[in-house]
Structure formats: structure tokens, C-alpha cells
Amino acid sequence: MSTYVGRFVVVGPEVGAYRVSSRSFPNREITAREDALTVGPTADAPETDNPYVSYNCLRVVGTPTGQTAAFGNGSHVDPIAEKLERGYPARDALAESLLALDYEKDDYNTPRIAATIGDDGEALIGTVRKDALLVEPVDEPTLVATYEKNAPEPIEFTADSAGTAASESYELEFEHAICAAGVARTDDGFETAIENGD
């Protein structure tokens, strides 16, 4: 039996993915912009003033030592990326941004979730909930979700490219898949991919 865990990130250490699962705002897709993958409403979506519907979900940024990918379920992805660009260690960029923006003040106190993958092989996963802030290093595929699985836990995840990370996370047996983004570290930097389930 599948369960509804909401939005989630999976991080590798070499690959990662972010999936939008939603009961209340299904009409969304991920688009590639110049410097980010962005979640937003589809052309036929009803208008909403909900501040949590549109956001950059994945950014790859240059850091003083190379490149890092940052991804997650909301507007905290931007300050994480900006802190990485300024030379913050990934752990500090995650912890400070999650703590500053805090969990979402909606009906469900939705946690914010995020992850980073550095080109040095360091990967981290984090979440801020109403009762905790967790940031942990990752050495095996690890998932954290907004509901049910809101603490990092190991997951079987075999993707080895951005495309397979996006499609494998989209196809995981959790309910209400909408779209997914994938990222992978390669010899030439990071590659990204989008799965909108068309």
C-alpha cells in the first residue's frame, strides 16, 4: 500500500532528486531557467495566492572551491545557494537557511527539506520541522519528506544520472506524484533533468 509523504528529497551521495507530490496543488510542473529548476503552476492551473506553490527547487552554484547543487521544497533553496556561493560550508548554509525561514506556517506546519551535493563528494540532507532542525551527512541514498518520513532515512535508490534520478524518484510508490527534478555529479560538473510525468 502506498502512502502520502508529500514532497521529498533523495540524496545520493553522487545523485539527488526532488519530487513534488501534492493533493491540493496538482497543476504544477518544473521548468528549466537560466540558473535554476523552478516549480510553478501549469498554464491551465487555477490562480492561487498561496506563497508555497512556486519556487526554485534546484540550483547549481559556483563556490570558492568548485560547484555545489542545492535542492529542496521551497524558497529556502535560494538562500542556501547564495550562502554556498559566498563560501559558507554546506552544513552551515543548510542549517542557517532552514532555521531562518523555519517550517511553513500553513495548516500542516509543513517542514522545509533540502539537500546539497558538492563536487568534492560531500552530500548533506536537512529538514526543519516544528520540533527540530536536522542536518546530516549522507553516505548512502537517504530520503526526507514533508510528511510521515520527516526525519532522514535510508532508501533504495539506484539512479546513476540526473535523468534516472528524476524518473526513479517520480516512480517511487508514494501517492500523488506531480513532477520531479534530478541532479548528478559528473566529470564535467553537474547535470540536471526534469520529469513532469507527461
Side-chain angles (χ1 to χ4, degrees):
M1 185 183 130
S2 60
T3 49
Y4 181 64
V5 299
R7 294 159 283 165
F8 62 82
V9 294
V10 178
V11 59
E14 303 288 319
V15 300
Y18 168 64
R19 190 179 101 177
V20 179
S21 321
S22 181
R23 290 186 285 218
S24 34
F25 294 100
N27 299 358
R28 284 189 284 175
E29 62 188 357
I30 296 173
T31 52
R33 300 192 178 183
E34 196 173 311
D35 59 350
L37 298 186
T38 303
V39 174
T42 54
D44 56 356
E47 282 194 29
T48 175
D49 55 4
N50 185 307
Y52 303 121
V53 168
S54 302
Y55 50 89
N56 290 334
C57 68
L58 192 153
R59 288 179 57 184
V60 176
V61 293
T63 68
T65 57
Q67 275 193 318
T68 300
F71 45 106
N73 71 323
S75 56
H76 53 287
V77 171
D78 289 326
I80 292 169
E82 286 151 19
K83 284 178 173 21
L84 291 166
E85 286 178 310
R86 295 209 300 267
Y88 280 64
R91 179 175 171 269
D92 296 0
L94 278 165
E96 288 189 27
S97 302
L98 288 168
L99 193 59
L101 283 158
D102 212 1
Y103 62 92
E104 296 181 1
K105 306 302 191 290
D106 58 10
D107 294 343
Y108 309 103
N109 294 326
T110 301
R112 288 182 187 269
I113 54 175
T116 59
I117 302 173
D119 58 10
D120 56 0
E122 179 188 54
L124 295 158
I125 194 165
T127 181
V128 61
R129 316 188 301 242
K130 192 173 182 181
D131 63 342
L133 170 68
L134 306 172
V135 177
E136 299 177 4
V138 166
D139 54 17
E140 63 179 337
T142 302
L143 171 139
V144 68
T146 52
Y147 311 119
E148 302 294 332
K149 297 177 178 288
N150 65 5
E153 62 177 65
I155 184 173
E156 192 170 310
F157 196 70
T158 59
D160 58 3
S161 69
T164 53
S167 57
E168 187 175 339
S169 65
Y170 184 84
E171 288 159 13
L172 283 170
E173 286 289 309
F174 301 122
E175 291 175 356
H176 300 290
I178 307 295
C179 49
V183 61
R185 192 156 60 86
T186 72
D187 294 340
D188 304 317
F190 286 93
E191 59 171 14
T192 62
I194 293 170
E195 172 57 74
N196 279 322
D198 307 325

